[in-house]
């Protein structure tokens, strides 16, 4: 049997050595690994903003909400078409998510419905505190429209770029554009630390507050004293060391992901009814984390998303429907939602395709066979 082909598996070098950690290292050296990793991420992002390494992207979103001043009962505008990790920290804070539909071009938060949601919240007497936008599958939102709106309304923008490391919008690295940026180094992301994330903030003061909160809010005394509720959110030093190694292959991984996109682009060019998701203009550069398609069964002679997914599964090839929008989730379907059916249609007709940095020519051959056998 061939090996299974996954959507986006972790890829480590064959022998993991951790050159940044020596046996007998004392605390200072261990902490230095974390600081080095933060510098490494900051250099990649080509930014003067501050970077805080944490144990997950989810904890980065939680801290961003706290720094943005989101408290119990506050409203947070959130893209509905996203992964649940994006919305859950709103509930961790005891705040209330207000979900917004996507636009057709980027599949990310619709500026039009964002405005509608904001207006309606204000009419009901409550001004939203923050906006969370996701760069789905590595492609940015329309950040120009969102930032312009946020500036007028004086509302903080949290940029969930968990999937989008290496992507850009108008030549700016994703996660450096909003008031707060998030990256994830979870196992399935474009580089991994075996679990980890980053929060990007504008000022040193915010960085210090984030580290304070991420390390149990210990006060600066010889004994342990706590006035504020803290968390255990700092990245582990072994994870940071792994991150330093993985960032060496980021450029290479980005190229491989782009080649995967080119492969699918050629593959689907002549298949009517299948549309590969792509950058809407030269302002957007995706990191091609996952390649995704929409299938219109009225044009494919009745073949739908599930038919293709099952055909892949039979050959031990992983393909998955796009994220199920938050407003359709049992956990979240009682919260407000503004928009139409864009995200719902994406969920019903969209499929994520194998896009790992290790996708081989043999793998591509097997994927090609499934497509040809199903559509011809
Ligand atoms: C992966 C992901 C996260 C969470 O990152 P973790 O590091 O797994 O906590 C958040 N948002 C989106 C859109 C993601 O894909």
């Amino acid at each position: 049997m061939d090996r299974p082909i996954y959507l986006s598996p972790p890829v480590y070098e064959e022998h993991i050595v951790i050159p940044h950690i020596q046996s007998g290292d004392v605390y200072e050296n261990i902490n230095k690994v974390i600081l080095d990793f933060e510098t490494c991420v900051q250099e990649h992002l080509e930014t003067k903003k501050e970077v805080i390494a944490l144990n997950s992207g989810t904890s980065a979103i939680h801290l961003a909400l706290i720094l943005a001043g989101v408290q119990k009962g506050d409203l947070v505008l959130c893209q509905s078409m996203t992964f649940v990790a994006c919305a859950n920290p709103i509930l961790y804070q005891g705040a209330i998510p207000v979900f917004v539909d996507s636009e057709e071009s980027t599949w990310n938060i619709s500026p039009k419905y964002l405005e509608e949601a904001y207006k309606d919240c204000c009419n009901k007497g409550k001004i939203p505190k923050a906006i969370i936008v996701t760069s789905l599958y590595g492609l940015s939102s329309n950040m120009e429209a969102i930032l312009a709106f946020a500036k007028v309304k004086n509302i903080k923008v949290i940029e969930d770029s968990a999937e989008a490391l290496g992507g850009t919008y108008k030549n700016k690295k994703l996660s450096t554009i909003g008031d707060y940026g998030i990256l994830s180094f979870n196992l399935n992301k474009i580089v991994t630390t075996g679990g980890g994330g980053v929060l990007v903030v504008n000022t040193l003061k915010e960085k210090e507050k984030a580290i304070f909160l991420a390390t149990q809010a210990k006060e600066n005394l010889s004994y342990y004293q706590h006035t504020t509720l803290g968390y255990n959110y700092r990245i582990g030093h072994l994870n940071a060391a792994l991150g330093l190694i993985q960032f060496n292959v980021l450029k290479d991984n980005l190229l491989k992901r782009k080649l995967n996109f080119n492969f699918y682009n050629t593959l689907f060019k002549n298949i009517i009814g299948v549309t590969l998701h792509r950058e809407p203009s030269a302002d957007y550069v995706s990191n091609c984390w996952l390649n995704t398609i929409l299938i219109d069964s009225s044009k494919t002679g009745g073949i739908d998303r599930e038919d293709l997914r099952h055909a892949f599964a039979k050959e031990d090839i992983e393909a998955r429907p796009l994220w199920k929008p938050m407003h359709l989730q049992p956990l979240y379907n009682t919260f407000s939602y503004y928009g139409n059916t864009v995200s719902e249609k994406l969920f019903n007709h969209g499929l994520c395709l194998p896009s790992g940095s290790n996708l081989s020519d043999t793998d591509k051959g097997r994927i090609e066979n499934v497509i040809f056998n199903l559509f011809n």
Side-chain angles (χ1 to χ4, degrees), residues 55-59 61 82-83 85-86 134-136 160 162-163 182-186 188-189 195-197 289 323:
N55 61 4
S56 73
T58 310
S59 46
I61 296 170
T82 188
F83 179 46
C86 178
T134 302
S135 298
L136 273 187
D160 178 357
E163 303 174 357
I182 272 91
L183 294 169
S184 166
F185 309 114
N186 188 24
N188 63 343
K189 300 297 187 334
W289 174 57
W323 299 125

Side-chain angles (χ1 to χ4, degrees), residues 171-367:
N171 295 320
K172 274 195 178 157
K173 292 271 165 69
L174 301 184
S175 79
T176 65
I177 302 168
D179 296 289
Y180 303 98
I182 272 91
L183 294 169
S184 166
F185 309 114
N186 188 24
L187 279 183
N188 63 343
K189 300 297 187 334
I190 198 157
V191 297
T192 183
T193 58
V198 140
L199 172 63
V200 182
V201 300
N202 282 322
T203 65
L204 188 59
K205 211 172 145 200
E206 284 174 305
K207 175 171 179 164
E208 285 166 355
K209 184 168 177 194
I211 292 175
F212 174 71
L213 292 173
T215 53
Q216 309 286 22
K218 291 192 223 47
E219 277 160 41
N220 196 12
L221 293 165
S222 64
Y223 49 91
Y224 289 107
Q225 173 151 305
H226 308 273
T227 310
T228 311
L229 177 64
Y231 305 89
N232 184 8
Y233 280 174
R234 196 71 163 132
I235 196 169
H237 66 283
L238 292 174
N239 304 86
L242 198 50
L244 281 169
I245 302 167
Q246 280 263 305
F247 261 73
N248 292 328
V249 294
L250 172 59
K251 224 174 134 189
D252 208 35
N253 285 358
L254 285 167
L255 181 67
K256 287 172 180 164
R257 303 264 170 167
K258 181 71 189 172
L259 293 175
N260 290 342
F261 173 85
N262 294 345
F263 159 71
Y264 285 116
N265 197 25
T266 308
L267 185 59
F268 291 116
K269 201 173 264 169
N270 298 315
I271 298 180
I272 295 160
V274 178
T275 320
L276 182 65
H277 189 38
R278 63 184 68 242
E279 295 134 346
S281 80
D283 289 341
Y284 298 80
V285 177
S286 171
N287 69 353
C288 299
W289 174 57
L290 290 187
N291 293 289
T292 53
I293 49 173
L294 289 178
I295 304 183
D296 180 349
S297 60
S298 72
K299 292 182 184 156
T300 57
I303 299 165
D304 64 16
R305 192 271 311 281
E306 284 302 280
D307 295 327
L308 179 54
R309 193 174 66 78
H310 289 305
F312 275 136
K314 251 196 195 153
E315 298 300 320
D316 215 0
I317 298 170
E318 184 186 21
R320 276 184 194 240
L322 303 186
W323 299 125
K324 180 172 182 174
M326 290 305 112
H327 73 279
L328 303 176
Q329 297 284 356
L331 176 63
Y332 284 115
N333 63 14
T334 54
F335 292 95
S336 319
Y337 169 72
Y338 295 85
N340 207 317
T341 56
V342 175
S343 56
E344 193 169 337
K345 280 185 188 145
L346 292 173
F347 171 61
N348 287 329
H349 304 293
L351 193 67
C352 297
L353 303 168
S355 302
S357 304
N358 66 345
L359 202 68
S360 68
D361 287 345
T362 314
D363 295 339
K364 287 175 183 165
R366 286 170 56 197
I367 291 164

